[in-house]
Amino acid sequence: MNVGPSGFNNAPVTRALVIACTLFTIIFGVRGRANQLGWSYQDIFQKLQIWKLIISAFTFSSTPELVFGLYLLYYFRVFERQIGSNKYSVFLLFSFVVSLLLEALALQLIKDPSLSILSGPYGLIFSSFVPYYLDIPVSTRFRVLSLHFSDKTFIYLAGLQLLFSSWKRSIVPGLCGIIAGCLYRLNIFRIRRVKFPEFITSYFARLSLPSIGNTPPPAAPARNTPGNVPIFAGRQMEGNYPAPVSSTPEPPEDAIAMLVSMGFDRNLARQALIHSRNDINTATNVLLESQSH
């Protein structure tokens, strides 16, 4: 399922998060301590083992959870491209803090001393399902036997695999993450207007290592008039996406109609499809990003 340029282009925060989760899981998995990183109410509020909150947020308990978790984190980089690394950092921090508070409250209400929260960035992952459900459109539908599916089905299946991987230990942080995502969506305390100082997000860009497919594609040369005056067709699309090339065919009418039905201007929808080489998912991302500025 295509969500824009491959690799971590314009997603340095996601890249740093994926690297951190991979390293922490490998380090603690080799030592056999990954299953011991789950935390309980008593660990935090009675034993004051605050370090567990930080470590467990970046460490998956098993290899299957690591695979599904990294797949979802990598896919959800589309939101960093839409709103920018700065606001995406605020979203991650808000999801992390709010989901942790809700998890601690849930443990207190359940009053099960044997229940501990599963380690891993579950709050961050499941909070991202809220904008994924509301903002990412379905571009492809298909049927297997008598069952109907869409290109979003695989993301939901990966989320369900994580949600029920350890029953209550994973369901509790998953539901808390969804609630955190809803609170962010509702703009509680006007959180969606908050921004970090620029040096914080630029630090992640320098910290995370280069990865394959991270080099942005070269832009096509601009066409000039005989008087050497550049031609711009309508409003310029924002974002570091490939410029349209002469070989790009005219966007199909059904793709333009789908974007128009989502509320976008017809001319802007056509330009976005040309910029994205007629990929409707990438075109949607370009249009959403242009509206966020």
Side-chain angles (χ1 to χ4, degrees):
M1 182 174 174
N2 188 13
V3 292
S6 61
F8 290 101
N9 276 327
N10 306 322
V13 176
T14 301
R15 180 173 55 188
L17 180 61
V18 167
I19 292 174
C21 290
T22 303
L23 292 178
F24 274 80
T25 302
I26 292 175
I27 292 173
F28 286 95
V30 169
R31 294 185 176 183
R33 298 180 56 188
N35 291 327
Q36 302 176 8
L37 292 178
W39 58 274
S40 64
Y41 184 86
Q42 290 80 4
D43 291 334
I44 305 303
F45 295 98
Q46 295 182 6
K47 300 179 183 179
L48 299 179
Q49 295 177 339
I50 307 299
W51 60 271
K52 280 192 172 184
L53 293 179
I54 307 300
I55 300 299
S56 66
F58 299 100
T59 309
F60 289 96
S61 299
S62 65
T63 301
E65 292 168 10
L66 174 65
V67 172
F68 283 103
L70 292 185
Y71 169 69
L72 291 172
L73 289 174
Y74 178 77
Y75 178 86
F76 288 146
R77 74 197 187 283
V78 63
F79 300 123
E80 182 176 358
R81 291 171 175 169
Q82 285 180 3
I83 64 178
S85 298
N86 198 314
K87 288 187 177 181
Y88 188 68
S89 300
V90 175
F91 171 72
L92 292 184
L93 181 61
F94 178 85
S95 301
F96 173 72
V97 173
V98 173
S99 61
L100 279 181
L101 292 176
L102 292 174
E103 289 165 17
L105 178 61
L107 290 179
Q108 177 67 9
L109 294 176
I110 296 175
K111 297 186 182 300
D112 184 356
S114 63
L115 176 63
S116 62
I117 293 297
L118 191 67
S119 61
Y122 279 74
L124 306 182
I125 292 174
F126 284 96
S127 63
S128 299
F129 273 98
V130 176
Y132 176 72
Y133 174 77
L134 296 173
D135 295 336
I136 302 299
V138 174
S139 60
T140 304
R141 298 182 184 274
F142 58 94
R143 186 174 65 178
V144 177
L145 298 178
S146 59
L147 301 177
H148 295 268
F149 298 95
S150 72
D151 53 344
K152 299 177 69 173
T153 302
F154 303 104
I155 303 299
Y156 289 129
L157 290 177
L160 288 175
Q161 171 64 30
L162 274 183
L163 185 64
F164 295 105
S165 60
S166 296
W167 196 229
K168 286 193 295 184
R169 295 184 64 209
S170 55
I171 291 178
V172 171
L175 294 179
C176 291
I178 293 175
I179 295 174
C182 291
L183 293 176
Y184 182 87
R185 184 75 181 192
L186 293 174
N187 199 22
I188 185 173
F189 304 127
R190 297 186 177 180
I191 186 63
R192 297 173 68 176
R193 296 186 179 182
V194 177
K195 285 188 176 182
F196 285 124
E198 287 298 331
F199 74 89
I200 295 180
T201 49
S202 63
Y203 173 75
F204 284 102
R206 295 192 302 269
L207 177 65
S208 52
L209 302 175
S211 60
I212 298 176
N214 199 43
T215 303
R223 295 178 297 165
N224 293 337
T225 62
N228 201 30
V229 179
I231 297 177
F232 296 94
R235 177 180 174 182
Q236 182 181 3
M237 287 291 136
E238 299 178 344
N240 296 325
Y241 291 92
V245 295
S246 57
S247 59
T248 303
E250 183 68 18
E253 186 62 30
D254 58 343
I256 297 177
M258 178 178 291
L259 293 176
V260 172
S261 67
M262 294 164 54
F264 298 115
D265 178 77
R266 179 181 177 84
N267 186 41
L268 295 181
R270 178 181 173 277
Q271 292 182 51
L273 285 168
I274 294 176
H275 274 259
S276 60
R277 296 180 175 87
N278 292 335
D279 183 276
I280 192 168
N281 279 327
T282 306
T284 304
N285 297 337
V286 172
L287 290 167
L288 290 172
E289 184 177 352
S290 67
Q291 288 184 346
S292 66
H293 291 277

